[in-house]
Every structure is written in C-alpha cells, then in structure tokens.
Amino acid sequence: MSVNVPLGPLLDPAFHLGSVPTTWAELLGFATGAVNVWLVVRQNILNWPIGIANVILLGLVFLDGGLYADAGLQVVYVALQLYGWWVWLHGGDGRDRLPVRRTRGAEWAALIAAGAAGTALLTWALSAWTDSTVPFWDALTTALSLMATYGQSRKLLESWWLWITADLVYIPLYFAKDLKLTSALYVVFLALCVSGLLAWRRDLRARPLAPAVAA
C-alpha cells in the first residue's frame, strides 16, 4: 500500500545536493536535531521542547520518504518527549531533578524484550501493509530509538549506547533513501552521542565524590 499525503511547503526543496533535493523540513530537522542532542549531552532541560519541534519536522521527512515506521515513531516521540521533560524536572528523590544512573538488570531485560517484540511486529506490519522497501531496518531503528528515548528520559547512562547502535544503522539507511542531509545529520548525532556517553559517565563518577569533597 502506498501512502500519499499532501504535506505542504515544508516539503518544498530548499536546495539540492547534486541532483537530490533537500526539503525545508529536512533542513530544519537537521538544525533542531543537532541542537537537541547537544542540549541532551549538557543535561539542559531545553532539549525537550527543541526535541518536540525536531521530531515533528523529521516525521514529515520520513513520511514523504516512505519510512513509515520512522514517521509513526515521531508521534510516539512527542509523548515520550513530554514524559521526559516532566521526569527530568521532578523524577529524582523527593521529586527534585533527576540524576544520571546505570541501567539495572531488570530494566535491560524489559527493554530487550520490548525491543525484540517491537522489531518483529513492525517488520511484519510494514511488510504486509505498506510499500516499504526496508521493513526490517525501519522496524529495528524504530525499536532501538524508542528504547533509547525511554532510557534518556530516565537519564540511564547506557541509553547512549542504544543511540549509537541506532545511528550506525540510520546513517546508511537514510543515505540509501536519498535523505543525504539527514544521513549527514546522523553522523553528527553519532559524534554527539559518543560525547554524551563520556559526559554522562564523568557526571556519574563525580557525583558520589561530591559529599566527600564538600566535607
């Protein structure tokens, strides 16, 4: 089944990379996406409203490009972004700001089970109900991204490893779908994710030392 939805001027070409047009939505998605991940690395609460704008823009890009699971994922992202925004503000002990922590074994088991089930279900749905040419890869990156976003909302250190894994699939996937600027954006994301992993790891290691230093 082919999905054709009129998506307006945001999908008009802003410029061309060679013979491939780059839309305004993709260009703005590039900018808001880079700012969003940079703010996450710095644990800045503004990452959440910027992230909401980013996922709406990328949802238009993915829908136009036939990446239907990724397009639908952006709707879920909006809900997760709102959830993460609240949790970062009030999810710590005593409803204070949330600290970085490691992922517990039970959390890993739940995330892996949900990710595997989600990948299998989405692969079947995309194969049966859409004209997607990459149903498995679209489903896999969708599941990984949801797992990573949940982990990010809880400030789980290992959520960066999930983002890194997803980005390593996204980069060639988007390039193959002629989303060249979005593919380049995910190279930037990959570098920022490595930076985020290192920054959150430093924060986690430094935090237990704070009472001793103060004493």
Side-chain angles (χ1 to χ4, degrees), residues 44-119:
N44 188 311
I45 198 69
L46 291 177
N47 86 85
W48 297 108
I50 297 294
I52 290 171
N54 174 250
V55 299
I56 292 172
L57 289 163
L58 291 182
L60 296 177
V61 173
F62 299 148
L63 185 59
D64 187 53
L67 294 166
Y68 304 123
D70 276 342
L73 171 63
Q74 308 312 305
V75 178
V76 181
Y77 270 159
V78 172
L80 284 175
Q81 296 276 349
L82 291 170
Y83 170 74
W85 197 347
W86 186 89
V87 171
W88 274 37
L89 284 173
H90 306 294
D93 295 335
R95 294 192 179 278
D96 55 0
R97 295 186 72 116
L98 192 70
V100 175
R101 66 175 176 85
R102 304 300 297 264
T103 308
R104 302 184 183 102
E107 290 172 320
W108 266 125
L111 283 170
I112 291 171
T119 299

Side-chain angles (χ1 to χ4, degrees), residues 6-37:
L7 297 173
L10 281 173
L11 292 177
D12 290 341
F15 60 90
H16 287 71
L17 290 174
S19 62
V20 178
T22 297
T23 64
W24 285 105
E26 191 175 358
L27 179 61
L28 292 171
F30 183 108
T32 55
V35 171
N36 171 241
V37 179

Side-chain angles (χ1 to χ4, degrees), residues 87-213:
V87 171
W88 274 37
L89 284 173
H90 306 294
D93 295 335
R95 294 192 179 278
D96 55 0
R97 295 186 72 116
L98 192 70
V100 175
R101 66 175 176 85
R102 304 300 297 264
T103 308
R104 302 184 183 102
E107 290 172 320
W108 266 125
L111 283 170
I112 291 171
T119 299
L121 179 62
L122 281 171
T123 300
W124 171 80
L126 289 169
S127 299
W129 299 105
T130 78
D131 60 351
S132 174
T133 58
V134 285
F136 172 75
W137 298 111
D138 196 2
L140 176 64
T141 51
T142 296
L144 284 170
S145 296
L146 286 171
M147 293 163 65
T149 302
Y150 173 79
Q152 176 187 312
S153 73
R154 303 301 304 179
K155 283 196 181 179
L156 304 181
L157 176 65
E158 291 77 12
S159 64
W160 290 112
W161 284 113
L162 294 171
W163 278 127
I164 288 168
T165 303
D167 289 348
L168 289 172
V169 180
Y170 274 131
I171 291 166
L173 176 62
Y174 291 152
F175 191 87
K177 297 293 287 185
D178 278 338
L179 297 172
K180 300 297 193 297
L181 187 62
T182 302
S183 179
L185 170 62
Y186 275 78
V187 174
V188 176
F189 280 174
L190 181 60
L192 287 171
C193 286
V194 173
S195 175
L197 175 66
L198 296 176
W200 283 27
R201 182 180 290 167
R202 285 194 300 270
D203 180 76
L204 183 64
R205 289 174 175 171
R207 189 163 27 86
L209 299 178
V213 171

